Amino acid sequence: MRRSAFTMLELVFVIVVLGILAALALPRLDRDLKQEAADSILSDIRYTQHLALIDNKHKFDESSWQRAFWQISFESCGSASGLFESIGTDTDYLGDISSNEAATDPANGKPMFWTNTASCASGVDTTASSDRIFITKKYGITAVNGTGGCNNLKHIGFDHLGRPHVSFSGSTTPNNSSYMSTACTFTFTMSDADTFAITIEPETGHAFIAGQEGS
């Protein structure tokens, strides 16, 4: 009886085609990770602005009220390598944000604030913080640099109208001097040296991924 089967030439052809497809897919995986990181951070910036719009922090009888602007910051894991982001409001006007002043991740109900050195640096899961804030562990981001209206800064805040502000953590006078009058761009560097950038416009606080204005 004769049985149909693949010839050696056909098998070699299939292997060659699979190799070509694999070569095309590998770069795509890197682009997806970068896009995922950009989408996640853009979402968090917009979430920060949303919190500012619905939670008015303007208290003109408190000289340091500007310190309480809702803000997102990109910070170092301290002595360990790595970066994380935090979102919160300095409601006690002490110039920094603590865990009880942090925003809650709507996806899991955990604070968007780092409370555990090991989890930030080593990749150990934590129950104390939302995992999305560990941008080095999650996406391989190794550096953040601000230019324009947030030159050399790694934070941005928003007032009750959604307008962007910078350098307000030391404010002791309600004079709106922290208002950002020019566009801010945060550039994020990945572990493979690839980069992406997010721009926040003045006045409106509109944020978008650079090169993807419709994002």
Side-chain angles (χ1 to χ4, degrees):
M1 296 177 62
R2 298 182 60 184
R3 295 181 179 178
S4 59
F6 291 111
T7 65
M8 183 61 71
L9 181 60
E10 289 172 327
L11 288 173
V12 170
F13 181 75
V14 170
I15 292 172
V16 170
V17 171
L18 290 176
I20 294 173
L21 292 175
L24 293 173
L26 287 176
R28 180 62 184 172
L29 291 177
D30 291 338
R31 289 196 299 271
D32 283 346
L33 183 60
K34 184 174 75 170
Q35 187 66 49
E36 182 184 347
D39 289 340
S40 178
I41 293 173
L42 176 61
S43 176
D44 290 341
I45 291 173
R46 289 174 173 171
Y47 179 46
T48 306
Q49 185 185 37
H50 170 72
L51 291 172
L53 288 168
I54 65 173
D55 186 14
N56 191 349
K57 295 299 180 183
H58 284 56
K59 296 182 178 180
F60 294 101
D61 57 343
E62 168 58 57
S63 61
S64 300
W65 66 265
Q66 290 181 127
R67 294 185 180 186
F69 285 148
W70 278 98
Q71 63 176 293
I72 181 170
S73 59
F74 308 100
E75 306 175 44
S76 168
C77 292
S79 59
S81 60
L83 297 169
F84 70 98
E85 65 175 30
S86 63
I87 299 176
T89 169
D90 181 19
T91 53
D92 58 12
Y93 313 110
L94 295 179
D96 58 6
I97 295 174
S98 57
S99 58
N100 64 330
E101 297 172 318
T104 299
D105 186 340
N108 54 36
K110 295 181 180 180
M112 302 186 75
F113 181 84
W114 168 57
T115 59
N116 186 315
T117 302
S119 67
C120 184
S122 69
V124 176
D125 290 334
T126 177
T127 58
S129 305
S130 171
D131 62 346
R132 70 181 292 133
I133 72 171
F134 303 114
I135 58 176
T136 296
K137 181 176 72 175
K138 194 172 182 68
Y139 305 113
I141 294 172
T142 58
V144 182
N145 182 48
T147 55
C150 54
N151 191 43
N152 293 322
L153 299 175
K154 297 180 180 179
H155 73 272
I156 192 166
F158 298 93
D159 63 20
H160 70 302
L161 297 176
R163 299 176 301 184
H165 289 255
V166 292
S167 301
F168 46 82
S169 62
S171 173
T172 57
T173 304
N175 57 10
N176 287 301
S177 61
S178 60
Y179 175 71
M180 194 182 77
S181 58
T182 58
C184 156
T185 296
F186 289 114
T187 300
F188 300 84
T189 303
M190 309 286 286
S191 57
D192 60 359
D194 200 359
T195 63
F196 66 89
I198 294 177
T199 296
I200 301 98
E201 296 179 336
E203 188 59 34
T204 63
H206 172 61
F208 58 90
I209 300 169
Q212 301 177 32
E213 280 67 18
S215 59

